[in-house]
Amino acid sequence: MSSLVLSVLDLAPIAPGESAGDSIAASVALAQTAEAHGYRRVWYAEHHNMPSIASSAPAVMISHIGAKTTSIRLGAGGVMLPNHSPLAIAEQFGTLEAMYPGRIDLGLGRAPGSDEATTYALRRDPAASAQFPEDVAELRAYFAGQSRVPGVDAVPGTGLKVPLYVLGSSTFGAHLAAALGLPYAFASHFAPQQLGAAVAAYRNEFRPSEQLAEPHVIAGVNVVAADTTDAARESFAGVQRRFATSLFGRGRTFSEAEVDILMETAAGQHVRQMQAYAAVGTPTEVRSYLEEFAASTGADELIVAHQALSTQARLRSVQLTAEALQPVGV
């Protein structure tokens, strides 16, 4: 039996013809299914100005889904810290920790998660990402009850020690996570190129902290588990087609023939490269891929993005993957 630790990255997709409310309801069902099948955590990523993604406000998502679940850890994977003040995030996740003690994670990213116009709409400075290490340190201090801003505490938040995770898709986050003694999550589900170099840098440079005595690597991977290999491959191909039109279509509607052409261009190749790490197939095939991926990357935990066109297919993938890998973790 496998002892591989699995978590879920819920991309909160809004399918064509569906609403954000439909997406959020699907996220509730996904978290409940993941909880029932032994996954360790579910994370939600902050995205803005993306019509096909409903997770612009991770803290609100976590609050809602926390009330619909009982034990699974819930967190941001992640909050894009350049978009916010450290105090505001400490207050938000301090509130969540007060509501759901021992269940809240806070993953932190350096990218803005949006384009230049959206950054303006958020009233953020495009150069704010340069302050990311200092902002992480300030945020960490609020939770430790050691505010770096005299006379200012996060309420709720002070002293709650919400666990922090550094997210990244390059070696920058690896160096920072190692220096701060924090867990490191690599976004290899869409940015596979520097996974090996980042994990190596993180492990080589890691310094123990109060939160973490030994390095802990979480690696992202796409998963489509289905009852047959053909069904899984067909589902993943459909996901890639939808992703390509969303990424390169600039809001226009494509015919199926036009999507066929798009997928044969450099755009289609780019999407396939982004999603190169993907376990697609029957439960046995998915298990084999995930175990080999974890062994080759040195990941301590995999956070899987269950990719399918329908909610029911995603839920089925969650179930089949967990059953194939039982026990999932501790």
Side-chain angles (χ1 to χ4, degrees), residues 4-318:
L4 188 60
V5 177
L6 288 185
S7 296
V8 175
L9 176 64
D10 182 358
L11 301 175
I14 304 174
E18 295 188 352
S19 67
D22 295 327
S23 173
I24 293 166
S27 289
V28 170
L30 190 151
Q32 291 171 335
T33 302
E35 180 174 77
H37 288 86
Y39 287 78
R40 176 168 289 184
R41 65 186 100 241
V42 181
W43 280 1
Y44 308 92
E46 177 185 346
H47 294 93
H48 297 283
N49 195 32
M50 298 185 71
S52 60
I53 296 179
S55 57
S56 59
V60 180
M61 288 279 288
I62 293 165
S63 179
H64 177 62
I65 292 169
K68 305 289 186 180
T69 53
T70 59
S71 59
I72 194 166
R73 297 192 66 88
L74 301 169
V79 163
M80 300 297 107
L81 198 51
N83 294 337
H84 312 275
S85 73
L87 176 62
I89 297 304
E91 291 170 340
Q92 289 176 21
F93 281 79
T95 300
L96 289 169
E97 177 64 21
M99 295 167 69
Y100 308 110
R103 294 181 58 197
I104 301 302
D105 300 328
L106 176 49
L108 301 167
R110 182 172 64 112
S114 57
D115 55 32
E116 184 176 344
T118 307
T119 299
Y120 168 77
L122 289 166
R123 299 298 190 266
R124 305 306 297 167
D125 182 348
S129 59
Q131 293 293 116
F132 183 66
E134 292 80 5
D135 286 348
V136 173
E138 182 180 332
L139 177 58
R140 190 183 198 183
Y142 285 127
F143 287 129
Q146 301 169 352
S147 175
R148 292 187 164 201
V149 183
V152 177
D153 289 312
V155 182
T158 297
L160 292 184
K161 298 183 179 178
V162 173
L164 302 184
Y165 298 74
V166 174
L167 278 56
S169 57
S170 69
T171 57
F172 179 93
H175 295 304
L176 179 62
L180 297 178
L182 295 176
Y184 180 56
F186 192 90
S188 36
H189 63 292
F190 76 88
Q193 291 83 359
Q194 296 189 54
L195 173 60
V199 171
Y202 171 69
R203 291 196 178 280
N204 289 337
E205 299 171 17
F206 181 82
R207 301 175 186 174
S209 68
E210 182 180 350
Q211 178 178 329
L212 193 64
E214 307 237 343
H216 186 83
V217 173
I218 303 174
V221 59
N222 300 290
V223 171
V224 184
D227 294 296
T228 68
T229 302
D230 287 345
R233 290 177 178 172
E234 181 180 355
S235 183
F236 191 48
V239 168
Q240 291 185 318
R241 290 165 67 88
R242 183 179 292 176
F243 183 42
T245 58
S246 173
L247 195 62
F248 298 103
R250 299 180 181 178
R252 63 166 289 195
T253 300
F254 288 80
S255 68
E256 288 299 310
E258 289 173 327
V259 180
D260 289 340
I261 295 171
L262 179 68
M263 295 306 294
E264 295 301 318
T265 68
Q269 179 63 23
H270 179 69
V271 167
R272 287 186 285 272
Q273 288 174 344
M274 289 177 69
Q275 298 180 331
Y277 291 129
V280 180
T282 64
T284 299
E285 291 168 328
V286 166
R287 169 180 171 150
S288 177
Y289 184 98
L290 292 180
E291 289 181 337
E292 291 177 8
F293 177 78
S296 65
T297 60
D300 302 292
E301 178 180 343
L302 301 184
I303 188 160
V304 299
H306 287 279
Q307 301 275 18
L309 292 177
S310 72
T311 298
Q312 288 307 311
R314 281 196 299 278
L315 299 182
R316 183 66 172 156
S317 183
V318 170

